Amino acid sequence: MAALLARLCRGRPGLRAPRLPLAAAPPLSRPPAPRPPPPPRPLSFSAAELVRAAPGPLQPYLRLMRLHQPAGTWLLYLPCSWSIALAAAPGCLPDGRMLALFGVGAVLMRGAGCTINDMWDRDYDRKVARTASRPLAAGDISIFQSFVFLGGQLSLALCVLLCLNNYSILLGAASLSLVVTYPLMKRITYWPQLFLGLTFNWGALLGWAAIRGSCEWAVCLPLYLAGVMWTLVYDTIYAHQDKRDDAAIGVKSTALRFQGRTKRWLSAFSLTMLLSLCLAGLNASQTFPYYSAVAAAGLHLAHQIYSLDPERPEDCWQKFASNRTVGVLLFTGILLGNLCKQQGSSHGEEPSEDR
């Protein structure tokens, strides 16, 4: 029996069990090559990058004063620079110390204005997509903290103001009522941009007074009017970004007032601005470079208005921000025009030393 089982297990003689193919051995896997490190970000000194690089607890305060969006600070500062340059003695450069002081003041007062605006508007800002991330609307800082921060900004701005002559100190203090009440105007009237213009261009009066000791109204008033008209142009464009949200929550603006007639109104404001600049230049005995700059600014404004698409918020922002170029063109024209003046002209009195 045992022999029979052994034969059965061996199978028939001459027959072999088929060989099953061996499974192919998997290829030897190589460890993945290490990824190259990401290229270093290019060094940037933009305002937005500087705010992002600031310590975390400080960032909400810097964003509250809009330090990451310097376009508004430029638009506040440039009318000051026009006035300072116009008041310079014939054939001379504008006072660098005054330009620097007004630059610091523009940063501080724009920051204070934005802080006041956000304190008034925090409930509205939560309902608008573009403004919902502002520090007060988002709850990053409290009302009490913003009050303390506002006090610090105004205290530093007062230090800047006290560096000027007595006339300028009183004139500068008079603008504070406009700074505080402007944010309320969008609840009352469809012309809040007009009140912003009255506020933002106060430096057109203050710059001249800081150099000469008082305002020469034949120059300062046309310059101030030009600045107000300029603000009506760029801030109406800016307001078109939010017009649907504004209409939904009951906020008023010139964008809602003008609707499809926006370009006609902007053209009228621009023409008034250019005529006012020409009148200010005539009364300040300006020369050819000044009027060339006024013409260049007019062409820039004409291009803005012609190419503006009020239904595209990104185009409105680009047009708004490009107004810095208009202001720089005018400042350059004033500076060069003043250098071309003959020394001893009727507007070449010595700057006031009253402090």
Side-chain angles (χ1 to χ4, degrees):
M1 188 69 179
L4 179 61
L5 287 173
R7 289 183 65 186
L8 287 173
C9 290
R10 286 196 298 268
R12 291 184 182 180
L15 292 178
R16 292 185 177 179
R19 292 184 179 181
L20 295 175
L22 295 174
L28 294 175
S29 60
R30 296 180 180 178
R35 291 184 178 180
R41 294 179 66 181
L43 190 62
S44 172
F45 293 101
S46 70
E49 287 292 335
L50 291 174
V51 170
R52 278 194 287 269
L58 188 60
Q59 288 187 23
Y61 295 97
L62 300 182
R63 288 190 292 113
L64 182 62
M65 65 186 301
R66 308 288 196 278
L67 207 62
H68 61 301
Q69 294 175 333
T73 304
W74 276 105
L75 296 175
L76 176 61
Y77 173 65
L78 283 163
C80 307
S81 71
W82 302 344
S83 189
I84 292 169
L86 272 174
C92 298
L93 292 171
D95 188 325
R97 173 178 169 272
M98 283 297 171
L99 289 172
L101 276 175
F102 275 73
V104 173
V107 173
L108 292 169
M109 287 308 298
R110 197 253 177 151
C114 290
T115 302
I116 293 169
N117 183 79
D118 287 7
M119 289 166 69
W120 282 117
D121 289 353
R122 62 190 183 280
D123 293 330
Y124 286 129
D125 286 345
R126 293 188 185 107
K127 301 173 185 177
V128 178
R130 188 179 60 82
T131 59
S133 62
R134 288 178 175 174
L136 273 169
D140 295 335
I141 56 177
S142 68
I143 286 289
F144 175 75
Q145 289 170 317
S146 63
F147 261 118
V148 173
F149 184 55
L150 175 62
Q153 292 175 92
L154 291 176
S155 298
L156 291 173
L158 178 61
C159 293
V160 173
L161 187 62
L162 292 175
C163 295
L164 308 181
N165 57 58
N166 294 332
Y167 184 97
S168 300
I169 292 172
L170 294 174
L171 185 63
S175 69
L176 195 57
S177 59
L178 289 170
V179 174
V180 172
T181 57
Y182 154 69
L184 297 174
M185 293 301 115
K186 65 188 75 172
R187 296 163 170 79
I188 300 169
T189 175
Y190 281 99
W191 291 86
Q193 281 69 28
L194 175 60
F195 287 89
L196 179 66
L198 296 172
T199 307
F200 244 50
N201 294 281
W202 201 259
L205 308 176
L206 192 57
W208 184 284
I211 299 297
R212 298 294 182 88
S214 63
C215 285
E216 185 167 341
W217 298 110
V219 177
C220 294
L221 279 181
L223 188 67
Y224 183 55
L225 177 61
V228 173
M229 293 297 108
W230 185 40
T231 302
L232 279 165
V233 171
Y234 65 65
D235 208 55
T236 297
I237 293 172
Y238 183 88
H240 271 282
Q241 295 179 102
D242 301 326
K243 60 187 175 185
R244 291 180 181 83
D245 289 324
D246 288 348
I249 63 179
V251 169
K252 299 176 174 65
S253 72
T254 48
L256 293 174
R257 172 76 176 175
F258 300 156
Q259 297 288 343
R261 298 170 297 158
T262 290
K263 292 193 176 186
R264 273 181 273 172
W265 279 97
L266 297 182
S267 299
F269 296 146
S270 298
L271 181 60
T272 306
M273 173 190 175
L274 298 174
L275 291 174
S276 298
L277 287 170
C278 289
L279 180 58
L282 285 171
N283 291 334
S285 305
Q286 271 295 333
T287 56
F288 177 74
Y290 172 83
Y291 298 104
S292 299
V294 171
L299 290 174
H300 194 291
L301 290 168
H303 173 72
Q304 277 188 60
I305 296 167
Y306 177 77
S307 61
L308 173 67
D309 184 351
E311 304 306 317
R312 289 179 55 226
E314 62 275 13
D315 185 57
C316 294
W317 170 258
Q318 290 170 1
K319 296 297 191 299
F320 164 78
S322 73
N323 276 277
R324 179 175 64 176
T325 303
V326 173
V328 171
L329 276 172
L330 290 170
F331 174 72
T332 304
I334 295 169
L335 188 150
L336 296 177
N338 206 55
L339 290 176
C340 292
K341 284 184 186 179
Q342 296 293 325
Q343 293 199 8
S345 70
S346 60
H347 289 274
E349 302 93 343
E350 287 296 316
S352 171
E353 294 299 329
D354 177 23
R355 292 288 182 270

